[in-house]
């Protein structure tokens, strides 16, 4: 039996975050190897924007979305129920295909906002990011497009003739690109369309070829998360070294260095041995953020009060030994006999002077570079990490989406904590008739306050778009005026 191809075109309203939303999604499901006439699912779902919705004018303009056209869309609960139902594989070898997988992570954000499990990246054993595939083919294959910026541009360059202003047709464009690449670059597509277990298996490391924002990179893996989904590595793009976190859920390129044959190295002007040597000899102290490095130095020197914030706490735990002594008083400040070069300076300035020449234990330095921070975590992991013990049972109860189980909505949903504010927004958007007038008033006041915080930046964003659009592009100008009126 042929596997099913699930093509998903999300319409995000802002950059991915836990508060992100989608305006809708196009979904096309079709058995592999047949024409579009035999599609088993072909659907465009639109979601209305609630009062609390986080929206970027640039995202609306870029995707040709008139926000006023969404007022008759589904509620987020209706949308997520339908989308979640459609994006479930029928068999283990079904494939999820999209363009720029990170935008599909907004689906997870909306799922969390509406109390759905599990996340979309855990559902499919096979996933392909066509943007990554095109970037890989541009370097190593036969399909060498000069620009790989957005779905519409790529589809036109590969001969797609459908109406790309129609959001549903854009799912057809994904099918066109996927079919093209399988015909012209079958080996690359076979490698990228790997099962989840192979995608997470990095035992043949620590060096891999990776593509970051279209640039060829060689990476050296420092650590992999316990669930294997995240990788912390040093990235070498041929010009500079930096630390990078790679989410393997997003189906990135992680190829063995052998893909860089001598011929390809010459063509791409990328000397594998030289760049690997740079990674081997990398000084981790040069790659860490300044604040984190200073925190490690303070921990090594025993200057506890000079270390602030979570990074410093992590550094203190990581630093196991000090190789330089700094005079300090019992309360953590510098003693009365401090050198002249720290007299009259602030605590931070004085600490920096005292930290000159402090050597950090190599193991502590490695642990700090290899550690994962909150900003690295996938949305579900970050969300549940932040939940209080008493909030998790509430989340699990709300997963039933049965409002009758809630005897007092204002006790669960209110503006006083982050979790309670999420519940308040969920109730008022999806079950407005169940909310008392006073509860509705509190919600609307909350939304006004949230909007007022963003009003200035929204207006600046709109003005920036007006300044950059060609006045002769009347269609975009009309849409941008509609977007500005919405705000």
């Amino acid at each position: 039996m042929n596997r099913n191809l699930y093509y998903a075109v999300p319409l995000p309203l802002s950059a991915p975050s836990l508060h992100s939303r989608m305006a809708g999604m196009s979904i096309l499901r079709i058995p592999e190897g047949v024409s579009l006439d035999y599609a088993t699912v072909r659907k465009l779902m639109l979601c209305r924007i609630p009062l609390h919705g986080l929206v970027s004018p640039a995202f609306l303009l870029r995707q040709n979305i008139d926000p006023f056209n969404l007022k008759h869309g589904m509620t987020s609960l209706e949308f997520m129920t339908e989308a979640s139902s459609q994006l479930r594989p029928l068999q283990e070898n079904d494939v999820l295909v999209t363009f720029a997988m990170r935008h599909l992570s907004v689906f997870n954000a909306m799922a969390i906002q509406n109390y759905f499990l599990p996340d979309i990246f855990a559902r499919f054993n096979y996933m392909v990011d066509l943007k990554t595939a095109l970037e890989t083919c541009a370097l190593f294959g036969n399909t060498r497009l000069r620009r790989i910026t957005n779905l519409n541009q790529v589809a036109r360059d590969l001969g797609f003739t459908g109406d790309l202003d129609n959001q549903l047709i854009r799912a057809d464009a994904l099918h066109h690109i996927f079919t093209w690449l399988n015909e012209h670059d079958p080996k690359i597509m076979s490698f990228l369309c790997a099962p989840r277990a192979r995608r997470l298996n990095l035992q043949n490391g620590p060096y891999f070829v990776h593509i970051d924002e279209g640039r060829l990179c060689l990476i050296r893996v420092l650590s992999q998360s316990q669930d294997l989904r995240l990788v912390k590595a040093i990235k070498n793009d041929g010009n500079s070294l930096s630390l990078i976190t790679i989410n393997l859920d997003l189906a990135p390129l992680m190829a063995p260095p052998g893909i860089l044959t001598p011929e390809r190295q010459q063509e791409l002007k990328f000397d594998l041995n030289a760049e690997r040597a740079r990674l081997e000899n990398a000084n981790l102290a040069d790659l860490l953020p300044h604040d984190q490095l200073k925190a490690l130095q303070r921990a090594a020197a025993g200057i506890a009060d000079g270390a602030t914030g979570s990074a410093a706490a992590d550094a203190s735990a990581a630093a196991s030994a000090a190789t330089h002594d700094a005079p300090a008083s019992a309360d953590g400040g510098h003693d009365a006999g401090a050198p002249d070069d720290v007299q009259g300076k602030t605590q931070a300035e004085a600490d920096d002077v005292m930290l000159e020449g402090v050597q950090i234990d190599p193991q502590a330095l490695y642990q700090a570079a290899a550690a994962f921070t909150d900003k690295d975590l996938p949305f579900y992991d970050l969300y549940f990490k932040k939940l209080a013990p008493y909030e998790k049972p509430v989340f699990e109860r709300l997963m039933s989406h049965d409002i009758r189980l809630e005897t007092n909505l204002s006790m669960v949903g209110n503006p006083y904590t982050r979790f309670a504010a999420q519940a308040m927004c969920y109730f008022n958007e999806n079950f407005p008739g169940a909310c008392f007038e006073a509860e509705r008033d509190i919600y609307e006041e909350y939304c006004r306050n949230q909007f007022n915080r963003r009003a200035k930046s929204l207006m600046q964003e709109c003005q920036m778009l007006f300044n950059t659009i060609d006045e002769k592009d009347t269609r975009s100008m009309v849409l941008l005026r509609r977007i500005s009126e919405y705000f």
Side-chain angles (χ1 to χ4, degrees):
M1 183 177 179
N2 287 357
R3 62 184 180 179
N4 295 291
L5 303 175
Y6 288 72
Y7 297 101
V9 183
L11 302 174
L13 291 171
S14 63
S17 76
L18 274 172
H19 305 290
S20 301
R21 296 180 60 91
M22 289 186 288
M25 179 184 288
S26 300
I27 296 177
L28 172 68
R29 190 179 78 206
I30 183 171
E32 188 174 28
V34 303
S35 70
L36 287 172
D37 296 334
Y38 294 93
T40 52
V41 173
R42 201 161 183 267
K43 181 170 291 192
L44 171 63
M45 297 165 290
L46 296 179
C47 183
R48 72 184 68 155
I49 304 175
L51 289 176
H52 61 271
L54 180 64
V55 182
S56 163
F59 272 71
L60 291 172
L61 182 65
R62 191 181 308 151
Q63 298 174 105
N64 196 32
I65 298 173
D66 184 337
F68 290 101
N69 291 341
L70 299 175
K71 63 181 180 181
H72 299 301
M74 303 176 182
T75 66
S76 61
L77 179 57
E78 293 168 340
F79 172 78
M80 287 305 305
T81 300
E82 180 64 17
S84 185
S85 173
Q86 295 296 340
L87 287 176
R88 290 190 181 276
L90 299 177
Q91 50 197 39
E92 187 179 0
N93 64 341
D94 288 350
V95 187
L96 176 63
V97 183
T98 192
F99 187 95
M101 191 72 73
R102 70 186 186 91
H103 289 306
L104 199 56
S105 65
V106 178
F107 181 94
N108 277 351
M110 283 194 71
I112 292 169
Q113 294 163 27
N114 291 276
Y115 309 99
F116 279 86
L117 288 175
D119 77 69
I120 191 172
F121 299 119
R123 298 180 184 184
F124 285 85
N125 192 26
Y126 295 83
M127 298 193 303
V128 175
D129 183 343
L130 290 182
K131 189 171 189 288
T132 296
L134 287 159
E135 290 172 342
T136 304
C137 291
L139 292 171
F140 305 113
N142 301 313
T143 306
R144 302 202 169 191
L145 300 182
R146 291 187 176 183
R147 298 178 304 153
I148 307 173
T149 55
N150 61 72
L151 170 60
N152 290 6
Q153 165 256 314
V154 167
R156 292 191 191 97
D157 288 348
L158 293 182
F160 184 74
T161 58
D163 180 11
L164 291 169
D165 288 334
N166 184 326
Q167 299 292 354
L168 187 57
I169 300 300
R170 297 179 75 216
D172 296 352
L174 283 181
H175 179 65
H176 177 87
I177 297 169
F178 184 81
T179 303
W180 172 284
L181 292 178
N182 273 288
E183 291 176 353
H184 293 82
D185 288 288
K187 290 183 179 180
I188 288 177
M189 292 301 288
S190 177
F191 178 83
L192 291 175
C193 192
R196 181 178 177 84
R198 196 179 89 187
R199 197 167 66 245
L200 302 183
N201 184 355
L202 301 182
Q203 291 182 353
N204 294 327
Y207 296 97
F208 293 91
V209 173
H210 177 64
I211 295 178
D212 185 46
E213 297 297 329
R215 299 197 65 172
L216 173 64
C217 304
L218 186 68
I219 68 166
R220 172 188 160 198
V221 173
L222 298 177
S223 64
Q224 192 169 5
S225 61
Q226 189 172 2
D227 62 6
L228 306 181
R229 298 163 66 194
L230 297 178
V231 171
K232 200 64 174 284
I234 307 173
K235 180 186 73 174
N236 179 0
D237 63 7
N239 293 318
S240 61
L241 303 182
S242 60
L243 293 174
I244 185 175
T245 301
I246 301 172
N247 187 340
L248 299 181
D249 276 345
L250 304 184
L253 175 69
M254 296 287 283
I259 194 175
L260 284 169
T261 62
E263 294 77 17
R264 284 172 171 166
Q265 292 180 53
Q266 185 174 4
E267 177 189 356
L268 299 170
K269 296 180 175 59
F270 196 95
D271 187 325
L272 179 59
N273 290 332
E275 302 306 339
R276 179 156 39 194
R278 289 182 67 197
L279 287 173
E280 290 175 350
N281 299 318
N283 184 352
L284 294 178
D286 294 336
L287 305 181
L288 287 174
H290 177 77
D291 290 347
Q292 191 176 8
L293 179 62
K294 288 301 179 184
L296 284 170
Q297 290 178 317
R298 292 186 187 103
I303 308 177
D305 287 349
T308 60
S310 60
D314 293 341
S316 296
S320 59
T323 59
H324 179 82
D325 293 322
S329 64
D331 64 359
H334 297 289
D335 64 15
D340 292 340
D341 55 359
V342 303
Q343 298 293 337
K345 296 182 181 294
T346 65
Q347 179 70 51
E349 292 171 339
D351 284 351
D352 284 345
V353 171
M354 300 299 293
L355 292 173
E356 290 181 4
V358 170
Q359 298 298 312
I360 303 170
D361 177 63
Q363 185 62 28
L365 194 60
Y366 188 95
Q367 289 176 2
F372 296 99
T373 63
D374 285 355
K375 68 179 182 179
D376 298 324
L377 297 178
F379 288 156
Y380 271 94
D381 293 359
L382 176 61
Y383 180 83
F384 283 107
K385 180 181 179 181
K386 298 288 187 181
L387 279 191
Y390 65 88
E391 292 172 337
K392 189 170 183 180
V394 180
F395 184 99
E396 294 171 347
R397 187 176 73 240
L398 292 174
M399 285 174 58
S400 70
H401 306 116
D402 187 350
I403 198 71
R404 294 171 297 179
L405 298 178
E406 305 305 320
T407 57
N408 189 335
L409 296 187
S410 59
M411 285 293 292
V412 178
N414 56 66
Y416 305 122
T417 69
R418 185 176 301 175
F419 180 80
Q422 174 189 331
M424 176 184 66
C425 293
Y426 168 77
F427 294 144
N428 279 272
E429 178 188 1
N430 298 295
F431 307 99
C435 300
F436 292 123
E437 184 177 351
E439 294 168 335
R440 188 72 182 173
D441 290 342
I442 292 173
Y443 165 70
E444 291 178 355
E445 178 64 21
Y446 169 84
C447 292
R448 279 193 294 271
N449 291 336
Q450 293 295 309
F451 177 81
N452 288 338
R453 291 177 185 175
R454 299 186 60 239
K456 184 177 180 180
S457 63
L458 285 171
M459 295 304 105
Q460 290 175 340
E461 188 174 340
C462 286
Q463 188 57 53
M464 179 194 69
L465 293 172
F466 275 116
N467 293 339
T468 56
I469 287 182
D470 186 349
E471 293 183 358
K472 296 179 181 179
D473 186 354
T474 55
R475 185 174 183 178
S476 295
M477 289 296 292
V478 169
L479 176 58
L480 184 52
R481 289 192 187 99
R482 293 274 292 173
I483 293 172
S484 298
E485 290 170 7
Y486 177 80
F487 294 107

